[in-house]
Amino acid sequence: MTDTPPVGSQPATPTPEPSADVPAVPPAAPEGPPARLWDRMRADPQYAPEHLALEAVRRLGPEAAQWAARARAEHPGIPADALADQAARKFVNLARLSGAVSGVAGLPGAVLDVGVLAWTQARMVLHIAAAYDVDPLHSDRATDLLVLQRVHKVAASARLALGVAAGRERADALFGVGGQRPLGRVMLQLGVRLAQMAGVRAAKRMFAKIVPGAAIVLGTWANSSATKDLAQRSRALYRERGTTVPEPRRR
């Protein structure tokens, strides 16, 4: 411990040390998909939701875990449902603001908008998991994301697709695979896959932005409605999971 040098006749003041009970603040999580993830999704648009889910658990899981730990330290005995409600309200409000965040017209802007919305929704799901003391860093959270966001109907197919996506990530890192394809077709496929992940309403509306002069696609109602529905499904899943024995971490 380092003491502050005395000034005049004042005694030295000990420098306070951080409490062991309060977790350190994690680095700020990105508000939208990071550039490296965008590159990966453009290179492999068919598996864009799987790449996003894997990266969300890696990037956003620590933030969710530390948020829940701080909340419990500051409010001992707070019910899990109350924490989950806090998370849902926060991210539904963020979803309302996430439409047209890019300021870019046409297909690229629509893809950016739905990508940010899908990322915000994934962030919310991981926070709700943490509220019910379900490990947001566990590899199974990526599976949960894909099922809750209705990219896959069942966990088994989601796990299979995640395995394929993870294998492609490793292959790309080792061999630099990923052929060049026409950008327009890639962006269209990427937009469709991300819109599917963000919600059916987003998928139906995103193409309005492609038309020159069209109004903002992802209006506040569409974003918040899809995100509220996802919050309800997430609370139902993790409320039940939170009553069971914690799952072993698989890394």
Side-chain angles (χ1 to χ4, degrees), residues 44-136:
D44 192 19
Q46 179 183 355
Y47 287 94
E50 287 77 13
H51 290 302
L52 191 147
L54 289 167
E55 189 69 15
V57 173
R58 285 192 290 257
R59 290 258 189 160
L60 305 178
E63 176 200 52
Q66 298 227 16
W67 163 79
R70 284 199 309 273
R72 292 189 180 100
E74 293 168 3
H75 305 283
I78 186 171
D81 281 335
L83 275 183
D85 287 343
Q86 286 181 22
R89 283 196 301 270
K90 174 181 177 179
F91 291 106
V92 167
N93 287 334
L94 283 178
R96 289 193 182 105
L97 303 175
S98 66
V101 292
S102 64
V104 177
L107 179 58
V111 174
L112 288 171
D113 289 348
V114 293
V116 170
L117 178 56
W119 185 258
T120 300
Q121 290 177 343
R123 197 174 186 182
M124 178 189 70
V125 170
L126 294 172
H127 277 66
I128 291 175
Y132 288 105
D133 208 21
V134 175
D135 185 2

Side-chain angles (χ1 to χ4, degrees), residues 1-4 11-17:
M1 180 182 295
T2 302
D3 290 341
T4 304
T13 304
T15 302
E17 295 184 355

Side-chain angles (χ1 to χ4, degrees), residues 45-48 181 184-194:
Q46 179 183 355
Y47 287 94
R181 285 177 287 175
R185 196 172 77 184
V186 168
M187 292 297 285
L188 183 61
Q189 186 178 11
L190 177 57
V192 169
R193 295 293 287 151
L194 289 175

